[in-house]
Amino acid sequence: MSSARAWREYPQRYRYEAAVCDQCAKWFFPPRLVCDACGCREFTTKAMRRTGKVLTYTVIRVPPAPFKDQAPYVVAIVQMDDGPRLNVQVTDFVDGQLKIGLPVSLEFRKIYEEGEAGIINYGYKAVPV
Amino acid sequence: MNVGIVGYGAYLPKHRIKVEEIARVWGADAPSYKKGLGLREKSVPALDQDVITMSVEAARNALARSGGVDPREIGALYIGSESHPYAVKPSGTIVSEAIGATPAIHVADFEFACKAGSEGMFVAHGLVKAGLIKYGIGIGADTSQGAPGDALEYSAAAGAAAFLFGSDNLLARIEHTFSYTSDTPDFWRREYMHYPQHAGRYTGEPAYFKHTIGATEGVLERSGMKPSDFQFAVFHQPNGKFPMRVGKMLGFSHEQMEAGWLSPTLGNTYSGASPIGLSAILDVAKPGDKILMCSYGSGSGSDSFVFTVTERITEVQGLAPKTRYMLEHEPIYLAYGEYAKFRRKIRKAE
């Protein structure tokens, strides 16, 4: 990821800023321009609460190159308490702890580094509450 | 004007390694290391954790205990560490952005061996006291380095603590501060070097003990207080033994130091050490309690603080994870191989 693209996504990657539809109050993360429920184009920016539950997950054993040191790792769909669903890595669980329905919260973590000398990309991962 | 702590928070990684596991690899005698250093295990940052990630979480915990301070009102953020992830690019900008405190904020990264965290606290509270800013954050955080097989490897650990300073809605007032500094070459790391070097036993008497005693006696003299006036005291914790020994030399009891004495199972969190100890004390303190904190950083210097806890403490203690909970709750133990990978001690193909 270019550092310019990462920088554009800081509000979401760092602060979980979502768009909440002014008309029907549906949450969108990442934000979008038109509400798919009511067609409204007006949104208010709100930070999502950091808590949610694991809806489903899988284990990645053959990762893309920037993630190879992390394999095997878990990627889950997390149902956030405010409504949006996130595709997110899960970490810091102990043996037998990871299961569907596990309450998690988002923590600030390194996502990957652009090699030894490049930029470090930060964002969120889910950890058991 | 009263200035003090409005919010505090710590963050500790979940991974640990035991002294036995390190000693096994290097053919060292674990019982003598455990006895000599007074510690049993230490925290280890995961591959995706560094000073910045831990500082963000500690600062978020401090804000959770702040009674709703708007991050945009924070006028300064200082992170003290000797393991900033970048040589050039501040840690503080990323942390400020993540907590929503940008852009009207003064940010700097401090470095002074293990004292950099208390330096950040000292400067942030000073700016509040001067009336230049409404709120300021001081953070001490480290993922400290110890060369494989060196005595430091048994203690070099990871953790962070953040303190939000202001002048209203305080949970602890700062009554007095004092700093004690001299050029004492007991520990250093040159540019481009992975691991620090130290002067062995010389890091004790003329370094740690002289400066810790100097700064503590200085703040006691300024405040007109004596050790028995305090409910709690916390000193820099390079190992399990030094803080208890220096405390006893100064006239503090085991009971006064126990709450903030984390190094036997946490290790030495360098810039985080005495600040994380202070966070563990605030977790259990009661209104009216007096707390003494004294840091130590090689090179050398100590900052001491006298705090008085206010009525508000009991409202905020439960609003973020407590430090002892993070230390004791479901740690994940590593074998030396995993630890070496986590700490990037393994040379890989380009």
Side-chain angles (χ1 to χ4, degrees), chain B residues 17 100 117 315:
Chain B
I17 188 165
E315 296 166 27

Side-chain angles (χ1 to χ4, degrees), chain B residues 159-214:
Chain B
F163 297 88
L164 178 68
F165 298 98
S167 58
D168 59 355
N169 211 21
L170 304 180
L171 58 85
R173 286 193 307 275
I174 295 179
E175 309 285 7
H176 296 276
T177 63
F178 186 75
S179 292
Y180 187 98
T181 309
S182 76
D183 182 357
T184 307
D186 62 326
F187 173 102
W188 61 90
R189 177 164 65 86
R190 295 280 301 274
E191 188 138 48
Y192 307 119
M193 296 292 117
H194 282 294
Y195 301 114
Q197 295 190 30
H198 56 88
R201 298 181 74 84
Y202 176 72
T203 60
E205 207 56 49
Y208 177 85
F209 289 96
K210 179 183 164 189
H211 293 80
T212 305
I213 289 169

Side-chain angles (χ1 to χ4, degrees), chain B residues 4-180:
Chain B
I5 301 170
V6 179
Y8 73 95
Y11 180 83
L12 304 179
K14 282 196 80 85
H15 295 90
R16 305 280 182 277
I17 188 165
K18 290 179 187 278
V19 165
E20 285 87 348
E21 178 64 11
I22 301 173
R24 183 180 65 80
V25 170
W26 299 110
D29 183 45
S32 61
Y33 266 100
K34 286 169 86 168
K35 189 161 177 282
L37 295 171
L39 58 85
R40 305 189 288 280
E41 58 193 61
K42 66 167 189 173
S43 65
V44 181
L47 271 175
D48 60 3
Q49 293 180 307
D50 61 18
V51 159
I52 291 170
T53 65
M54 295 191 303
S55 295
V56 168
E57 292 299 326
R60 284 174 174 170
N61 287 336
L63 280 164
R65 290 191 173 106
S66 71
V69 166
D70 182 345
R72 288 169 299 187
E73 289 192 312
I74 299 170
L77 183 143
Y78 302 118
I79 303 178
S81 180
E82 61 177 72
S83 32
H84 291 291
Y86 288 95
V88 177
K89 185 187 181 328
S91 303
T93 51
I94 300 169
V95 176
S96 301
E97 194 77 42
I99 63 170
T102 52
I105 183 167
H106 184 254
V107 170
D109 291 358
F110 289 173
E111 186 275 319
F112 191 146
C114 296
K115 174 174 104 74
S118 68
E119 275 184 324
M121 295 167 66
F122 188 91
V123 175
H125 110 275
L127 289 173
V128 173
K129 199 165 184 174
L132 292 174
I133 57 174
K134 187 170 181 188
Y135 298 106
I137 290 193
I139 302 172
D142 253 308
T143 54
S144 32
Q145 310 90 21
D150 186 82
L152 278 182
E153 190 179 27
Y154 294 88
S155 60
F163 297 88
L164 178 68
F165 298 98
S167 58
D168 59 355
N169 211 21
L170 304 180
L171 58 85
R173 286 193 307 275
I174 295 179
E175 309 285 7
H176 296 276
T177 63
F178 186 75
S179 292
Y180 187 98

Side-chain angles (χ1 to χ4, degrees), chain A residues 82-129:
Chain A
D82 279 321
R85 290 174 177 182
L86 300 190
N87 186 356
V88 61
Q89 272 179 263
V90 185
T91 190
D92 277 9
F93 49 86
V94 293
D95 284 347
Q97 190 178 15
L98 184 63
K99 54 185 173 219
I100 288 170
L102 177 74
V104 292
S105 71
L106 300 183
E107 266 193 17
F108 199 78
R109 295 292 176 112
K110 280 194 278 191
I111 304 303
Y112 70 95
E113 301 173 28
E114 311 268 359
E116 287 278 299
I119 204 88
I120 305 167
N121 290 303
Y122 293 92
Y124 49 79
K125 290 187 185 178
V127 299
V129 174

Side-chain angles (χ1 to χ4, degrees), chain B residues 250-273:
Chain B
L250 283 157
F252 292 91
S253 67
H254 186 91
E255 290 67 36
Q256 286 168 297
M257 296 186 281
E258 204 168 17
W261 185 44
L262 307 174
S263 50
T265 49
L266 176 60
N268 178 7
T269 48
Y270 284 46
S271 298

Side-chain angles (χ1 to χ4, degrees), chain B residues 234-299:
Chain B
V234 59
F235 301 97
H236 176 53
Q237 305 177 19
N239 51 48
K241 274 190 160 175
F242 275 20
M244 296 312 251
R245 193 188 300 165
V246 80
K248 282 176 185 160
M249 286 163 77
L250 283 157
F252 292 91
S253 67
H254 186 91
E255 290 67 36
Q256 286 168 297
M257 296 186 281
E258 204 168 17
W261 185 44
L262 307 174
S263 50
T265 49
L266 176 60
N268 178 7
T269 48
Y270 284 46
S271 298
S274 50
I276 296 171
L278 175 63
S279 75
I281 288 173
L282 289 169
D283 282 340
V284 297
K286 296 184 178 62
D289 283 352
K290 304 274 187 198
I291 304 169
L292 180 129
M293 169 184 151
C294 184
S295 63
Y296 171 72
S298 289

